[in-house]
Amino acid sequence: MTDIESRIDTTRPHTARIWNYWTGGKDNYPVDREAGDRIRALHPGIGEYAKADRLFLGRAVRHLAGQEGIRQFLDIGTGLPSADNTHEVAQRVAPDARVVYVDNDPLVLAHARALLVGTPEGRTDYLDADLRDIDTILAAASKTLDLSQPVALMLLGVVIFVEDDEESYAVVRRLLDALAPGSHLVLSHTVTHPDMPDVDEAVAFWNEHGTPKLTQRTPAAVARYFDGLELLEPGVVSCSAWRPETPMPDVAMYAGVGRK
């Protein structure tokens, strides 16, 4: 057994693998599928959140690489590779785009080395690190990215794993402070909302049975991550409502894009 394999716990459901299951992937285990089905029974629309978040990623990256001219992406909490990963979307628009992925899930690490291969003109890299390891992330990312030039900081569904509010805001701020003017924050976050009470029940089930535990925040609390940035229209909204190609129902995953 390799060191990576020894770190994979197949006895407890894991969020990245359940997310993979909901989006039709095959990198999951029976325990993940069972938990995913039980969560979906509590909240039937939950599988749509994963799809909506992935579609938001594509729209945001296409906009940044196209209209904003961004050529560097730092994607923290990337999750398991699937269709239309950040580098694939960015490099279709700009083949010379550079992307650094960061995650600390051993299964993600095992697949990332094989799957996250970019264009000859661009570069992709993968770091095995926790979101809170800011100095490590920035030092390693600077070997691939020029941090004196604009970078898109991608934090999709990852700050939900930082339970303390002030710590989560501080982590995002420290990362942004290290990036050049013209950089962008792309962030999505599960929310608690009075119109979606079944989401709270599903999250409670997850936190009792799964790993890692996640924290919901209100839409206003999610908007606070963008304090001091120029928010791109339409602001912080359901990720399905951020510049969709076709109308989509709202989901309890809010997102936004802000310019430094």
Side-chain angles (χ1 to χ4, degrees):
M1 180 179 292
T2 67
D3 177 61
I4 294 175
E5 290 172 334
S6 68
R7 291 168 51 193
I8 299 173
D9 183 358
T10 61
T11 65
R12 294 190 66 188
H14 192 282
T15 181
R17 302 193 307 250
I18 291 178
W19 210 249
N20 176 265
Y21 170 53
W22 282 336
T23 54
K26 299 179 180 179
D27 298 314
N28 47 74
Y29 297 95
V31 67
D32 305 307
R33 296 190 284 275
E34 180 183 355
D37 289 341
R38 291 185 67 182
I39 292 171
R40 190 150 45 192
L42 292 170
H43 180 50
I46 194 73
E48 297 304 312
Y49 292 18
K51 297 175 184 178
D53 197 45
R54 174 60 54 162
L55 291 171
F56 163 70
L57 180 151
R59 296 193 300 273
V61 171
R62 282 194 295 274
H63 173 80
L64 293 176
Q67 281 67 42
E68 303 291 340
I70 299 295
R71 294 294 178 267
Q72 304 188 109
F73 296 81
L74 177 57
D75 187 338
I76 303 177
T78 179
L80 285 161
S82 62
D84 281 346
N85 300 289
T86 297
H87 75 282
E88 295 169 318
V89 178
Q91 291 174 353
R92 277 200 295 268
V93 177
D96 60 338
R98 297 185 172 205
V99 179
V100 173
Y101 292 100
V102 182
D103 208 300
N104 67 343
D105 184 308
L107 188 59
V108 176
L109 173 61
H111 285 274
R113 287 174 170 166
L115 297 179
L116 301 180
V117 179
T119 60
E121 303 94 327
R123 286 185 61 186
T124 62
D125 198 4
Y126 180 89
L127 309 178
D128 181 23
D130 185 88
L131 170 65
R132 300 174 180 85
D133 297 334
I134 297 172
D135 292 339
T136 299
I137 290 172
L138 293 173
S142 66
K143 297 176 182 178
T144 300
L145 308 178
D146 179 357
L147 300 187
S148 69
Q149 298 299 314
V151 173
L153 173 62
M154 312 286 295
L155 296 174
L156 273 66
V158 63
V159 291
I160 61 176
F161 300 118
V162 182
E163 182 177 4
D164 183 80
D165 288 345
E166 295 310 315
E167 181 185 8
S168 72
Y169 293 126
V171 165
V172 175
R173 182 53 50 192
R174 281 188 60 197
L175 288 165
L176 284 171
D177 285 348
L179 303 181
S183 294
H184 289 69
L185 171 64
V186 182
L187 181 144
S188 67
H189 196 300
T190 303
V191 298
T192 180
H193 196 291
D195 293 340
M196 303 174 180
D198 48 349
V199 176
D200 298 349
E201 188 177 359
V203 169
F205 173 87
W206 171 256
N207 284 342
E208 182 179 353
H209 299 281
T211 182
K213 299 185 186 304
L214 62 88
T215 299
Q216 292 169 281
R217 294 184 169 93
T218 65
V222 176
R224 184 180 162 191
Y225 290 105
F226 296 90
D227 283 357
L229 303 179
E230 177 189 350
L231 263 177
L232 276 59
E233 293 293 339
V236 178
V237 296
S238 169
C239 63
S240 58
W242 199 91
R243 306 187 181 191
E245 284 87 3
T246 57
M248 301 172 62
D250 284 355
V251 298
M253 176 75 73
Y254 272 49
V257 180
R259 181 188 297 111
K260 179 176 177 180

